Amino acid sequence: MTGYVFRRALQAAAVLLAITAAAFGLFYAAPSDPALIACGPKCDTAQVEAVRHSMGLDQPLVTQYTDYLRGLVAGRTIADVDGSSIDCAAPCLGYSYTLHQPVLDAIGDRFPVTLSLAAGALVVIGVLGVGVGFLAALRRGTLTDRLLSGFTLVGASVQIYFLGYALQYLLVYASDLFPLPGYSPLGDGPGAWAAGLLLPWLVLGFVNAAVFARLARAQMLETMHEGYVRTARGKGLGVLRAHLKYTARGAAAPLVQLLGLEAGALFGGAFITETVFGLGGVGKLAVDAVVQNDLPTVVGTVLLAAFFVVVFVAVADLVVAWLDPRVRLA
Amino acid sequence: MTPVLRVRDLTVSFSGSDGAVTAVDGLSFDLARGEVLGLVGESGSGKSTVGLAAMGLHDAARTSVGGSVTVGGVEVVGAPDARLRGLRGARIAMVFQDALASLSPFHSVGEQLAEAYRIHSGVGRAAARTRAADMLDRVGIPAARARDYPHQFSGGMRQRVMIGMALVNAPDVLIADEPTTALDARVQRQVLSLLAELRQESGTAVLLITHDVGVVAETCDRMLVMRGGHLIEEGPTGRLLTTAEHPYTRALIGAAPTLTSTPGTRLPTVPAARAGAFLSAATASRPAAVSGGAGLGAGLAGHRRSASPGPGDAAAGAAPEDAARAGAFLSAATASRPAAVSGGPGLGAGLAGHRRSAPPGPGDVAADTTAAAEELGASSAGEILSAATARRSASPGAVAADGIVMGSGAAEGPLAEVVDLHVEFGGRRRGPWGRRGEPVRAVRGVGLRIEPGETLGLVGESGSGKSTTARVFAGLQRPTAGGVRFDGRDIARAAVDARLRRELSRDVQLVFQDPYASLNPRRTVEEIVTTGLRIHTDLDAAARRARAAELLEQVGLDPAHLTRYPHEFSGGQRQRIGIARALAPRPRLIIADEPVSALDVSVQAQVLNLLMDLRDELGLSLLFVSHDLAVVRHFCDRVAVMRAGVVVESGPRDEVFDEPKAVYTRELLAATM
């Protein structure tokens, strides 16, 4: 077990290192000039060169990369455009010359929004997706099954920006059934927090739950005919209990792994949902940074998203091993 | 006394996409308290369906169950699930064939037993755990292993867990559906005796569902024989085994070779009821085809004829039902069989067009006698052949010592051999940072040789290394150490050298265990059979087609079925296709790895009969791998017994079976039913 965690950590570090290198390469290959952007349109050539020097952009690529990596591990001092130096503590993801703050701080300001949105959406995905799939499998071939399967097909085919705006109009502006979407910190009271996020959670969850419902149904149907489910019924367990205790467990592994991937993706930011509901999360930060050529922020958010994917995939593997003792962690 | 299980006019049908299929049709029987009743039938007979119906476990949405099943007076058919839940596991319990699939892989065996107890007794978790540990201990599993999971146990121990779980509530009725079929003979015997002990302690009545007449003979007071959903015959086991009234029962009982049947005799086959009608006809007509006899030369014109002089005439025309009796004659014929194999008088000529190259050795011995035989006349040919047989059975060296010239220019010696063979698996690093694992030593110093025209039986339990050894002979597994030669040529590198393997595959072909998995479902029979011809010969499509038709006829299939796909055939027919495929390039050695273990006994008899005929006609050498001692004894000239990667005993068939030297061989023989 310790060996497994150690190997997984090394593997994660290798993946993240490769991603920083790729993102850094992109930083250089991009046609835009960070120094020019940071300096602003009114700078003359001499000023741009001064900025370039203060940002360290005139250093060789390898030096800049090792500086960046050193900053990640130990922190470093970065010069701003005006020459003032900024202390960037580890893990230093660089400094945004557009936002004039360290990238980590920029992400940290917005991360609670993303975290709240992702956590709630994952609950919706789990409950709705797995629940619908389970029910459809139990009632396979019936009207319930067909209705539920149709319902999930709607989820799979509809776009968030359409569903989001449509529901927001119908449920909030036209009928007042739902409170106005928006983010209020959990510290200010869980009621306001949940109320503001309710509609985003449902929309993001519903659209993603469709895939889970379909997979859960197929998995359940396959597992239902396993010998151990029959044995459980032969012991005298009722249909529902046998399926909950045995079939569901046998069907769980692929669902857990997909949920791990989904969690990793959602924690990296959900740009469309954030935009539709006017939530300032990490997804919006990342897209804005791309639009504004704010390359340190782009690299930082990419790295963060990759980090979450790596972590959650590893966690999903651990959960699968816990569910099924035959799985050996290697 | 009222029966604990009473079945009246039970009818079960499944609704499918192409109409309803009736699996059980009007079955009635009683199971008395404490009785052991055997329910015997082949696959598709509906025997397992009866067990599930008694438990009320059929899916109501797709199955209609009619008639009546009462357990201790409680009606099961049509009962609500709530009532059935009280019966299942408490009054009636079930043990399934595949314990690994039937036990939950997610829960420890202790938990699973405790759950079975808790559902019905309502005791607390701690009490249930104690009871589970006691029960495990009773079935021979240390209580300390209660926390282990099913995959950590051997097959026999898993089945013990299943039995313990089924009997934990001391039910009135136990349905045991093929409880020992997947187990090795010795383990099977242990599990059956455990079942018998527990049954006596708890007074549970057992309905033992099986295809294996041997198991029923050992364990059951009374037996029912089912076929196609109908009850064929019922009665005390002793009477049915000796004087059954129905021909099907007699055939079923006689179809499996035993340790007392005469080796090499034609096995009685079951008259076909349904689809495979022409198949059985083909098989049944074989005794007639044995009409070689006097007109031997003529008889051999048809390449399918098997030349058994003299006694063959006696068998000719015998009705299939009389096959058992004909067997008596045939056993006489068998003595001379090997001679006929390697070419009786005129056989060399008859086979000239048929065999690419006659195996050197005994075949030539017999061929040399041809002239003499012709002079002496057909009537005495048999005697000469018998003499030749005696020589063939002796070692080749002895034949040479008799002064008979070996016709072949090739070096004398075995057709294939392995010397001090070692095969190890694994031992590689697990992952980039993993430790180097301990290698599994599957084969440790095995030496075996297969003489031309000989059938070597390789016997052992699962994990003995017999299949690995066979794979080395086939050039599919590279030895870790030691030599492997075919026809004097070193073939150790065949597994890694595609060209060498291709050349080898012309002479060495395989027949596999599972006729369902080993045929490509997307290829027609013609494509399957002719693949080897495309690789090894320059025959054009028409010639390949003609050869394929000839092969199908040779294995008793209709050549008109060349365009069909494997799924259109029964298991036995598929195995015939597999045999035709192996025969296509006219190989000299056929390696058959458990070729009949996946087949029903009656089909097994047909396929064994076919293999014996083909061996006679074509002078094939065979490596026959099997766990079934009775089949090996029936089919093989020489036998090697393997255990844990080592050959513990080898020698001529009669020596090994009549005077086994190794303790292990004696144990295996004692466990065979």
Side-chain angles (χ1 to χ4, degrees):
Chain A
M1 183 65 200
T2 357
Y4 169 78
V5 171
F6 178 68
R7 283 196 298 278
R8 248 352 241 265
L10 275 180
Q11 199 182 330
V15 168
L16 294 176
L17 196 67
I19 285 178
T20 55
F24 221 82
L26 195 74
F27 189 108
Y28 248 74
S32 61
D33 184 349
L36 186 64
I37 292 162
C39 192
K42 284 171 281 181
C43 289
D44 59 23
T45 316
Q47 282 171 311
V48 170
E49 285 312 312
V51 168
R52 190 187 309 283
H53 179 73
S54 74
M55 287 168 75
L57 289 174
D58 51 355
Q59 301 285 320
L61 177 61
V62 177
T63 314
Q64 290 188 49
Y65 183 58
T66 48
D67 281 350
Y68 186 82
L69 289 184
R70 193 178 311 119
L72 261 180
V73 181
R76 60 178 172 148
T77 308
I78 295 170
D80 201 351
V81 186
D82 55 14
S84 62
S85 68
I86 296 124
D87 198 35
C88 178
C92 175
L93 291 174
Y95 181 80
S96 167
Y97 298 99
T98 324
L99 300 167
H100 298 288
Q101 69 179 142
V103 173
L104 191 65
D105 293 353
I107 291 173
D109 288 349
R110 294 158 181 81
F111 190 65
V113 179
T114 293
L115 183 67
S116 305
L117 182 61
L122 284 171
V123 171
V124 174
I125 290 172
V127 173
L128 192 66
V130 175
V132 165
F134 194 89
L135 200 60
L138 285 184
R139 300 261 174 277
R140 69 190 176 287
T142 63
L143 185 67
T144 316
D145 180 19
R146 282 196 291 277
L147 283 176
L148 288 174
S149 297
F151 182 63
T152 62
L153 198 63
V154 170
S157 50
V158 78
Q159 295 292 335
I160 292 181
Y161 47 80
F162 169 74
L163 189 69
Y165 284 126
L167 287 183
Q168 199 167 331
Y169 173 74
L170 288 174
L171 300 177
V172 180
Y173 299 113
S175 67
D176 251 0
L177 284 171
F178 272 61
L180 192 68
Y183 179 75
S184 99
L186 190 54
D188 297 357
W193 173 75
L197 288 168
L198 190 57
L199 194 57
W201 283 342
L202 288 177
V203 170
L204 187 58
F206 172 66
V207 170
N208 287 293
V211 180
F212 280 85
R214 299 180 85 76
L215 182 66
R217 178 177 179 276
Q219 279 290 316
M220 287 290 296
L221 286 180
E222 205 172 291
T223 316
M224 258 176 199
H225 301 289
E226 290 286 349
Y228 56 83
V229 179
R230 185 180 56 184
T231 304
R233 301 253 288 122
K235 283 177 180 181
L237 279 184
V239 183
L240 194 63
R241 269 190 70 194
H243 284 322
L244 281 173
K245 185 167 178 183
Y246 291 93
T247 314
R249 187 144 177 189
L255 291 166
V256 168
Q257 289 185 324
L258 190 63
L259 198 67
L261 275 174
E262 189 74 47
L266 287 177
F267 275 73
F271 167 67
I272 298 176
T273 311
E274 288 171 15
T275 308
V276 167
F277 294 105
L279 304 167
V282 176
K284 195 162 178 339
L285 174 73
V287 175
D288 287 350
V290 169
V291 171
Q292 291 164 17
N293 272 314
D294 181 0
L295 291 169
T297 308
V298 172
V299 175
T301 49
V302 165
L303 197 58
L304 183 81
F307 172 77
F308 281 119
V309 171
V310 167
V311 166
F312 279 106
V313 167
V315 169
D317 284 351
L318 279 174
V319 172
V320 168
W322 172 72
L323 282 173
D324 188 344
R326 289 169 302 177
V327 174
R328 262 192 243 151
L329 298 170
Chain B
M1 199 161 88
T2 51
V4 284
L5 178 68
R6 185 171 179 276
V7 175
R8 285 292 173 275
D9 202 25
L10 177 68
T11 300
V12 182
S13 54
F14 303 109
S15 59
S17 49
D18 27 293
V21 179
T22 303
V24 177
D25 196 356
L27 182 73
S28 300
F29 68 88
D30 286 337
L31 179 67
R33 184 166 296 277
E35 187 189 19
V36 186
L37 176 63
L39 179 56
V40 184
E42 300 189 275
S43 48
S45 63
K47 57 187 193 301
S48 293
T49 307
V50 174
L52 289 176
M55 296 283 290
L57 276 178
H58 281 298
D59 181 358
R62 278 181 286 180
T63 320
S64 70
V65 183
S68 157
V69 175
T70 54
V71 175
V74 182
E75 179 62 52
V76 170
V77 176
D81 200 55
R83 193 195 303 162
L84 291 177
R85 286 209 300 270
L87 284 182
R88 288 186 203 128
R91 311 282 297 277
I92 179 168
M94 196 159 180
V95 172
F96 300 97
Q97 173 176 351
D98 187 350
L100 183 60
S102 301
L103 289 167
S104 164
F106 313 120
H107 304 88
S108 71
V109 296
E111 280 177 76
Q112 298 188 48
L113 250 86
E115 183 192 42
Y117 187 59
R118 255 164 63 82
I119 291 172
H120 298 287
S121 66
V123 300
R125 283 179 188 280
R129 259 203 305 276
T130 313
R131 169 83 179 127
D134 289 347
M135 197 67 207
L136 282 175
D137 197 48
R138 180 64 197 85
V139 298
I141 290 168
R145 296 205 62 187
R147 285 187 189 176
D148 287 349
Y149 292 89
H151 70 273
Q152 294 166 307
F153 291 89
S154 68
M157 290 178 100
R158 286 197 283 263
Q159 200 55 277
R160 287 164 182 272
V161 172
M162 273 304 278
I163 290 170
M165 196 160 81
L167 295 179
V168 73
N169 294 312
D172 299 329
V173 182
L174 177 71
I175 313 270
D177 189 353
E178 303 271 12
T180 58
T181 301
L183 304 176
D184 283 320
R186 290 184 310 158
V187 182
Q188 165 168 324
R189 191 165 278 271
Q190 289 163 7
V191 168
L192 285 176
S193 59
L194 171 72
L195 193 58
E197 277 173 39
L198 290 174
R199 184 184 65 73
Q200 273 161 6
E201 284 171 23
S202 61
T204 301
V206 178
L207 179 65
L208 184 71
I209 300 171
T210 183
H211 71 284
D212 190 336
V213 178
V215 169
V216 172
E218 293 266 331
T219 50
C220 299
D221 318 323
R222 204 158 59 89
M223 67 190 267
L224 308 170
V225 180
M226 273 186 82
R227 185 185 202 195
H230 296 274
L231 182 65
I232 295 286
E233 193 167 6
E234 80 170 289
T237 309
R239 184 177 72 71
L240 256 59
L241 287 178
T242 49
T243 54
E245 279 163 27
H246 200 282
Y248 176 76
T249 310
R250 287 202 300 271
L252 194 67
I253 289 164
T258 65
L259 289 179
T260 52
S261 55
T262 311
T265 48
R266 172 159 294 282
L267 295 162
T269 54
V270 176
R274 301 187 301 270
F278 81 93
L279 244 192
S280 285
T283 311
S285 71
R286 283 196 174 270
V290 178
S291 61
L296 200 54
L300 286 166
H303 62 268
R304 228 152 53 91
R305 303 294 153 84
S306 111
S308 291
D313 281 339
E321 287 88 336
D322 292 329
R325 195 154 43 77
F329 291 106
L330 285 173
S331 64
T334 311
S336 63
R337 188 270 296 165
V341 171
S342 336
L347 197 56
L351 290 173
H354 198 85
R355 216 180 336 167
R356 196 157 49 79
S357 70
D364 301 282
V365 175
D368 279 354
T369 64
T370 307
E374 277 166 1
E375 279 172 27
L376 287 166
S379 60
S380 55
E383 289 167 30
I384 292 176
L385 287 172
S386 297
T389 309
R391 276 196 292 260
R392 179 189 174 274
S393 305
S395 74
V399 176
D402 274 358
I404 292 161
V405 180
M406 292 301 203
S408 167
E412 289 156 38
L415 179 64
E417 67 173 337
V418 294
V419 182
D420 194 27
L421 176 71
H422 289 261
V423 180
E424 292 175 3
F425 294 108
R428 267 178 294 177
R429 243 176 238 289
R430 292 195 202 101
W433 293 286
R435 273 193 302 263
R436 195 172 283 278
E438 193 63 21
V440 176
R441 298 157 80 165
V443 180
R444 303 178 295 158
V446 163
L448 286 174
R449 41 199 284 164
I450 304 166
E451 305 292 343
E454 175 186 66
T455 300
L456 174 66
L458 195 52
V459 196
E461 295 181 325
S462 48
S464 61
K466 56 188 193 301
S467 287
T468 306
T469 306
R471 284 172 55 83
V472 171
F473 270 112
L476 295 173
Q477 172 66 47
R478 193 178 181 183
T480 309
V484 48
R485 276 185 288 280
F486 179 80
D487 207 10
R489 184 177 179 187
D490 181 10
I491 56 161
R493 286 187 49 78
V496 290
D497 179 343
R499 237 182 71 195
L500 178 59
R501 191 169 62 243
R502 177 170 288 214
E503 286 172 29
L504 184 67
S505 71
R506 165 144 211 178
D507 286 321
V508 182
Q509 284 285 322
L510 291 139
V511 174
F512 301 96
Q513 172 174 0
D514 185 347
Y516 291 85
S518 61
L519 298 177
N520 187 336
R522 288 176 194 83
R523 297 267 184 276
T524 63
V525 173
E526 184 185 347
E527 287 169 321
I528 288 167
V529 172
T530 57
T531 301
L533 295 175
R534 272 196 291 122
I535 293 167
H536 294 297
T537 67
D538 42 16
L539 296 176
D540 61 14
R544 287 202 302 266
R545 195 185 172 80
R547 170 79 178 130
E550 182 185 300
L551 283 163
L552 281 203
E553 204 175 319
Q554 201 165 14
V555 298
L557 292 174
D558 187 347
H561 291 171
L562 275 178
T563 53
R564 296 198 177 181
Y565 289 88
H567 71 264
E568 297 174 70
F569 295 87
S570 69
Q573 288 172 316
R574 285 184 213 206
Q575 199 57 303
R576 285 168 192 262
I577 296 169
I579 292 168
R581 169 177 66 180
L583 291 176
R586 302 183 203 278
R588 286 194 278 164
L589 175 64
I590 288 200
I591 295 171
D593 192 350
E594 303 272 10
V596 294
S597 346
L599 306 175
D600 277 325
V601 273
S602 67
V603 181
Q604 165 177 306
Q606 291 172 10
V607 171
L608 281 176
N609 285 344
L610 171 68
L611 282 172
M612 287 190 284
D613 290 340
L614 291 169
R615 183 170 65 179
D616 290 1
E617 289 160 26
L618 306 177
L620 289 170
S621 307
L622 270 116
L623 176 62
F624 189 90
V625 181
S626 179
H627 70 285
D628 188 331
L629 271 80
V631 168
V632 166
R633 178 175 170 276
H634 195 85
F635 188 73
C636 300
D637 302 320
R638 230 153 40 78
V639 181
V641 183
M642 279 189 78
R643 179 189 203 183
V646 178
V647 173
V648 294
E649 179 161 12
S650 72
R653 173 190 62 222
D654 293 342
E655 221 169 83
V656 172
F657 281 94
D658 297 344
E659 304 151 33
K661 288 176 190 64
V663 179
Y664 180 68
T665 313
R666 285 201 286 271
E667 282 176 23
L668 278 186
L669 283 169
T672 300
M673 293 181 185

